[in-house]
Amino acid sequence: MNPALAAYGMLGIAIVCEVIGSTLLQKSYGFTRLMPTIGVAVFYIIAFFCLSQALKTIPLGVAYAIWAGLGIVLTAAVSVVFLRQSLDLAAWIGITMIIGGVLVMNLFSSAAGH
């Protein structure tokens, strides 16, 4: 398998696990509910393990920008769809800018390493 593809796959898994962990963080109510609290720990451990594997191939700045950017976007989407929270126009504009930044970095920057 292509090492870059494997690294981006691990980064994708890391992002999804981080989003799940963050969602469970809210559901833990300040770590007062046992099962969501355990879920937070498990998903964050998986997320950081997968991120560490991705960093073997992807430069830290690029990986972290993708991790943070897509993590914010997906966490916001989960909060709207599953937690029934609302976002205002400024939030949607910011999310659009984050997506644009991740795309510019990956499509046009030589720092992305591909």
Side-chain angles (χ1 to χ4, degrees), residues 38-53:
I38 292 170
V40 169
V42 168
F43 279 100
Y44 277 177
I45 288 168
I46 294 168
F48 280 103
F49 173 78
C50 291
L51 178 61
S52 74
Q53 298 307 300

Side-chain angles (χ1 to χ4, degrees), residues 72-73 76 80 86-99:
I72 290 167
V73 171
V80 168
S86 61
L87 300 174
D88 61 9
L89 180 61
W92 286 112
I93 291 170
I95 288 170
T96 302
M97 293 171 73
I98 291 168
I99 293 169

Side-chain angles (χ1 to χ4, degrees), residues 42-86:
V42 168
F43 279 100
Y44 277 177
I45 288 168
I46 294 168
F48 280 103
F49 173 78
C50 291
L51 178 61
S52 74
Q53 298 307 300
L55 291 176
K56 291 178 180 177
T57 303
I58 305 169
L60 174 62
V62 173
Y64 199 80
I66 295 169
W67 157 287
L70 293 182
I72 290 167
V73 171
L74 292 175
T75 301
V78 166
S79 73
V80 168
V81 173
F82 296 107
L83 304 178
R84 304 286 186 232
Q85 298 173 351
S86 61

Side-chain angles (χ1 to χ4, degrees), residues 1-3 6 16-17 19 32 34 63 69 78 95 99 102-104 106:
M1 177 181 279
N2 181 342
V16 169
C17 288
V19 170
T32 60
L34 181 61
V78 166
I95 288 170
I99 293 169
V102 170
L103 288 173
V104 166
N106 279 288

Side-chain angles (χ1 to χ4, degrees), residues 23-34 36-37 40 83:
T23 303
L24 290 172
L25 189 59
Q26 174 151 4
K27 295 293 186 181
S28 77
Y29 291 101
F31 298 125
T32 60
R33 290 181 155 173
L34 181 61
T37 299
V40 169
L83 304 178

